[in-house]
Amino acid sequence: MLEGKQNGQVFKLPKVILLATNITNVELEKAKAAGFADTVIMKPMRASMAAACLQQVLGIGKKRQAGKNMLNGSMALQGLLCGKKILVVDDNMVHQRVVAGALKKFEVAVECRESGKAALKLLQLPYCFDAYFMDIQMPEMNGFEATHPIRMMESKANKQMNGGMDEDSGRKGEWHVPILAMTADVIHATYDALNAGWMDVSKPFEEAKLYQVVAEFFKSTRSNCFT
Amino acid sequence: MDRNRLHNQVASMRRSLFDQGYLDDQFIQLEELQDDTNPNFVQEVVTLFYNDSARLIQNIEQALNSGPIDFCKLDDYMHQFKGSSSSIGAKKVTNECTAFREYCNAENAEGCIRSFQQVKQEYAILKRKLEVYLQTVRQASQTA
């Protein structure tokens, strides 16, 4: 079990990213409301989307670029994502490679695992991932089952830190791992999410709008990226 | 002039793959992920797709030919196949996979068998076209 603090260090729990093929706004809200997922991305994943969602859930860009137009955002985004460690969990090797390729563009350090079980082994300390891209529909252990331990660690850490402060940012210690899970069948995914019992409301944000804005942005500035 | 001809050939083949609906935007995503640090990305992913597909086709053949059909299993395999094909932007193959899954859901054995022939056919056509296309791309880049 992950402790909130160890040797005086405060751990940042990772974000988990949801990818889906077709999703209506209603289904999107349901998956997010199910609490385990903060954002849903359509599968197969577009490179621009990966970065945008990562940026959103890691809370970067908002604070540091508040009020600025993202003219040079792609370079800045690359810089901000640089060095982040992401775990991609997908039993489909082709899709896994595409996701990894997209993330590596932003100089993100990517690890890949083919199953929930294999991914959970990496939850042992030291805990070093900033985000998870998690496929929901995997044979032995689906994405919900695999992220459940993360949520459990979170609530335990939250209870321990109740009233405590996050030393780094001065925020109140409240771990919430945005979970981004990948699915090709969002209806079943939402059903599974509800069955998994995660009904706390998570922070809503307009994914579709975000995608539109960022997609346009990436289209126009692609030539400036990745020098 | 050889170089120009090859480059024109590449452009025309590429256009036709998209115009004729063999590939969709997702393939462009792969192309955009290819760069100096990742110079063979498209070929690598496509090769993965071929390997994955060969395995899945074999599994599906077996499932269709051995005794009472397990539609759940078939659907799982096809879910995988669809996942792979859509990841590289193989539009026609993906559509055939979708059609197959509908027959699976309806537990229509005949439909599955017929539909699977379509899947295999589209896959074979795409594989051939992609192999030729990527080979031409390689040749063009070597004469550049």
Side-chain angles (χ1 to χ4, degrees), chain B residues 26-140:
Chain B
Q26 182 64 18
F27 189 79
I28 300 177
Q29 292 283 308
L30 298 191
E31 290 175 318
E32 291 182 351
L33 289 176
Q34 183 159 301
D35 60 15
D36 291 339
T37 60
N38 225 339
N40 298 310
F41 186 71
V42 177
Q43 183 65 69
E44 280 170 15
V45 179
V46 167
T47 303
L48 257 180
F49 169 64
Y50 295 152
N51 294 339
D52 210 41
S53 302
R55 179 182 59 88
L56 287 165
I57 286 175
Q58 199 175 24
N59 288 340
I60 295 170
E61 293 272 19
Q62 236 168 359
L64 281 172
N65 292 327
S66 51
I69 294 184
D70 182 346
F71 289 105
C72 272
K73 207 185 220 179
L74 271 182
D75 190 63
D76 280 345
Y77 288 139
M78 204 39 96
H79 167 83
Q80 280 287 319
F81 203 155
K82 188 178 168 183
S84 304
S85 63
S86 63
S87 295
I88 69 154
K91 191 170 170 183
K92 287 194 185 198
V93 175
T94 302
N95 289 341
E96 293 303 335
C97 290
T98 304
F100 181 95
R101 292 187 80 194
E102 280 168 16
Y103 285 115
C104 255
N105 287 337
E107 299 201 351
N108 181 342
E110 277 302 307
C112 282
I113 292 168
R114 261 196 331 264
S115 181
F116 184 51
Q117 296 312 311
Q118 289 296 109
V119 170
K120 282 193 292 186
Q121 198 174 350
E122 285 302 337
Y123 169 71
I125 295 171
L126 176 72
K127 183 163 187 262
R128 208 165 47 235
K129 285 183 182 278
L130 266 181
E131 279 172 341
V132 173
Y133 170 65
L134 290 176
Q135 189 178 23
T136 315
V137 168
R138 264 196 306 277
Q139 281 173 333

